[in-house]
Amino acid sequence: MGFQWGAIPGMLPILLHGLMITVLATIAIMAISMTIALPVAFGRMSRNPLFRIPATIYVQVLRGTPVLLQLFYLYYVLPFAGIRLDPWPAGVIGMSLAYSAYLSEVYRAGIEAVDRGQTEAALSIGMTRARIMRVVVLPQAFRIVIPPIGNIFVGLFKDTSLLSILTIREVMFEGQLLAATTFQHITIFTVIAILYLAVCWPSAAIVDRLERRLKRAPGDPHAVATRRRWALPFSAREARP
Amino acid sequence: MIRLEGVDKRFGTLEVLRNINLEIARGEVVVVIGPSGSGKSTLLRVLNHLEDFDSGTIYLDGKPVFAYTENGRRVRDPESRIRGIRSRVGMVSQRFNLFPHLNALDNVACGPLHVLGSPRPAAEAKAQALLERVGLGEKIRAYPAQLSGGQQQRVAIARALAMDPEAMLFDEVTSALDPELVGEVLRVMKSLAADGMTMAVVTHEMGFAREVADRVVMMDHGEIIEVGTPAEFFDRPTQPRTQSFLQAVIRH
């Protein structure tokens, strides 16, 4: 069966509902992982091995194994240990943990990218380490990490398709169900591809614009007036381990 | 006011400071010169405890600070005491290190606001007055990226002055500046010296040293090799190393 325009109106409500689930899952996972990532990043940078070693193990384990495997573990393996999670908690927890590991590395890189001279200047007027972090380092690190976080966000949006293996009815899961009953594979998966692109392409374009804006210091007269390029939804900078 | 007794510092096997003995009296301007790698910058950084030192003692107003030997054991000051000392001794470095996300006023207000706990209006009024003093009253809303090197360095000086320091350390503050911008920064430093500020200045500006310094200190290989008043030092240097250094510097 080829591409059938006539089949689209019938399947679109189902797929759009799936897309909504995908968006909701992305937002939930992003919010949770961005929160967890902060203490992990500080743990990684700590001089105290009591914080540093567990944080490092956490990051390496979660970065070094596929998210798919982590989800399998939570949903299909843990029940053997007597821990039974519903699909949504398993999916959101699993992906939040994985992404908190990626994000913590971005945070850490951002904080470490702030010039050491900034900290020294603040130390030499007598500021405390905590206040230097809050007043001097984090505001600068924030500007540095926004673009990579945006890219991770876009990557996460696509990765939520993994939730389909936990029977969460996001857009890929709905597509597979529809395909199994209607055999409209070409139509269904083409429409799904377009739906993903409809979200990712503009998002990636926004991230690109933000990145250009944030690249310069406030008030910098030598603004980088780069030509606006077509933003691709799978940016080369979308650095995922 | 500041006294160093037998201060040593090593980076691994490299001795960057060797048996430094130096006293800086209140109101005195001491200029430190010497070739790069001679330990001049490290000396200033040790005075603000941005670098640790390995042995010897530093006295501030007669009291040992940062780290000292007590009953044969090396004792370290707690962070809070070190912070207290840093807030009394201002430091300005070659690379300005202004906070790029804050405008000139907020940069200068940082110390009063975040260290002294002044209310914001008071901190800003003080910052405004200091920026006027360094000739930047028109630029209080400018961000560092909008200022020239000389202007940034003057903001950095104002930021240190906002803590009402009892002494100021200047670490090659004009070395990163275009030659035409050096004068405006030196003028600010001269006026500070004229007001009686205690200053330790590492610089390659021999004219400044001759004009402003009470004493000039020559360092080489981590050691102080000669100390004298500008007249003695520049006109009758005793050490061959000082003579050759001065010749090399002044020839340009």
Side-chain angles (χ1 to χ4, degrees):
Chain A
M1 234 182 291
F3 190 87
Q4 297 206 329
W5 290 97
I8 296 178
M11 63 181 62
L12 206 53
I14 300 172
L15 293 181
L16 281 176
H17 184 265
L19 186 69
M20 194 187 72
I21 299 290
T22 296
V23 170
L24 285 179
T26 305
I27 292 171
I29 294 164
M30 204 63 195
I32 297 171
S33 57
M34 284 178 75
T35 313
I36 304 175
L38 200 59
V40 176
F42 281 120
R44 286 272 278 166
M45 290 183 296
S46 173
R47 268 173 291 188
N48 186 342
L50 235 57
F51 296 116
R52 194 180 61 244
I53 291 171
T56 304
I57 293 173
Y58 178 89
V59 169
Q60 296 297 16
V61 167
L62 289 168
R63 281 202 309 182
T65 52
V67 182
L68 185 58
L69 175 79
Q70 294 164 20
L71 292 178
F72 253 91
Y73 228 88
L74 283 176
Y75 192 64
Y76 296 107
V77 178
L78 279 191
F80 287 100
I83 300 169
R84 216 167 284 279
L85 291 172
D86 285 337
W88 267 100
V92 171
I93 292 171
M95 293 199 67
S96 296
L97 294 181
Y99 271 76
S100 71
Y102 307 154
L103 281 169
S104 73
E105 289 295 279
V106 172
Y107 287 177
R108 183 170 70 98
I111 290 169
E112 285 174 354
V114 175
D115 193 295
R116 165 121 192 94
Q118 293 285 308
T119 302
E120 287 192 352
L123 278 176
S124 68
I125 55 177
M127 283 168 78
T128 62
R129 297 237 168 226
R131 201 172 282 244
I132 292 170
M133 198 39 96
R134 189 164 64 76
V135 176
V136 176
V137 176
L138 286 182
Q140 296 184 58
F142 184 72
R143 300 173 65 86
I144 298 170
V145 300
I146 287 293
I149 287 180
N151 283 322
I152 286 185
F153 214 151
V154 174
L156 167 64
F157 179 75
K158 292 177 294 175
D159 270 5
T160 51
S161 55
L162 293 170
L163 294 174
S164 62
I165 63 134
L166 307 184
T167 72
I168 288 175
R169 302 183 72 126
E170 48 70 62
V171 67
M172 277 301 288
F173 187 83
E174 294 287 13
Q176 288 171 55
L177 278 187
L178 273 177
T181 51
T182 64
F183 300 103
Q184 302 268 8
H185 287 75
I186 294 183
T187 315
I188 292 166
F189 290 110
T190 307
V191 169
I192 291 178
I194 292 167
L195 289 179
Y196 270 112
L197 278 172
V199 175
C200 284
W201 198 316
S203 311
I206 292 170
V207 171
D208 256 39
R209 284 191 58 155
L210 260 177
E211 180 166 5
R212 272 200 298 277
R213 269 244 306 275
L214 292 172
K215 212 173 250 169
R216 57 200 170 88
D220 190 347
H222 310 291
V224 268
T226 40
R227 204 163 52 84
R228 196 170 295 170
R229 288 166 294 117
W230 278 78
L232 294 174
F234 33 82
S235 153
R237 286 178 302 274
E238 190 180 301
R240 298 232 327 276
Chain B
M1 178 194 180
I2 301 169
R3 192 166 95 241
L4 294 91
E5 260 182 28
V7 171
D8 289 301
K9 172 163 185 64
R10 282 178 294 277
F11 288 126
T13 54
L14 180 72
E15 292 180 288
V16 276
L17 294 180
R18 282 195 273 189
N19 190 28
I20 297 290
N21 294 291
L22 181 67
E23 180 157 11
I24 304 172
R26 200 170 281 278
E28 192 181 22
V29 178
V30 171
V31 169
V32 184
I33 64 171
S36 57
S38 60
K40 332 182 276 296
S41 290
T42 308
L43 175 64
L44 290 198
R45 290 169 62 81
V46 161
L47 287 180
N48 213 3
H49 206 257
L50 289 176
E51 301 280 359
D52 213 347
F53 56 104
D54 297 306
S55 55
T57 314
I58 297 175
Y59 298 91
L60 194 66
D61 289 333
K63 288 193 264 313
V65 291
F66 303 138
Y68 35 90
T69 308
E70 211 173 61
N71 305 329
R73 275 192 25 234
R74 195 92 178 134
V75 186
R76 259 163 208 287
D77 268 346
E79 275 277 313
S80 57
R81 178 145 190 255
I82 291 171
R83 277 200 302 276
I85 293 161
R86 282 180 179 143
S87 68
R88 291 167 54 198
V89 179
M91 176 145 187
V92 187
S93 71
Q94 183 177 352
R95 288 174 49 238
F96 335 136
N97 291 320
L98 293 182
F99 307 134
H101 57 299
L102 302 177
N103 65 27
L105 189 74
D106 288 335
N107 262 282
V108 179
C110 230
L113 216 49
H114 297 295
V115 182
L116 304 176
S118 313
R120 184 166 273 280
E124 287 186 354
K126 187 176 194 181
Q128 165 101 44
L130 282 166
L131 283 168
E132 278 163 15
R133 173 163 179 198
V134 299
L136 291 171
E138 311 287 297
K139 298 281 188 186
I140 58 170
R141 302 281 167 214
Y143 284 94
Q146 294 166 311
L147 298 171
S148 73
Q151 291 170 331
Q152 289 189 55
Q153 194 57 290
R154 285 184 282 152
V155 175
I157 294 173
R159 180 175 63 184
L161 290 176
M163 294 300 295
D164 294 321
E166 295 165 46
M168 289 279 285
L169 312 172
F170 293 91
D171 185 11
E172 297 202 32
V173 290
T174 57
S175 297
L177 298 179
D178 287 342
E180 57 174 349
L181 303 178
V182 168
E184 60 190 66
V185 174
L186 292 183
R187 262 197 303 283
V188 170
M189 291 164 66
K190 282 177 198 167
S191 89
L192 272 178
D195 287 352
M197 176 65 78
T198 308
M199 291 164 56
V201 185
V202 169
T203 187
H204 293 296
E205 298 292 332
M206 296 302 147
F208 176 87
R210 191 185 269 272
E211 187 183 338
V212 182
D214 295 306
R215 274 185 306 152
V216 183
V217 172
M218 168 80 189
M219 286 187 72
D220 192 31
H221 291 111
E223 281 178 304
I224 292 179
I225 59 170
E226 185 160 2
V227 182
T229 64
E232 295 165 358
F233 191 90
F234 288 108
D235 300 332
R236 295 179 299 278
T238 57
Q239 298 293 319
R241 183 70 188 98
T242 312
Q243 291 162 2
S244 66
F245 179 76
L246 286 176
Q247 262 168 22
V249 174
I250 288 164
R251 197 180 300 138
H252 300 294

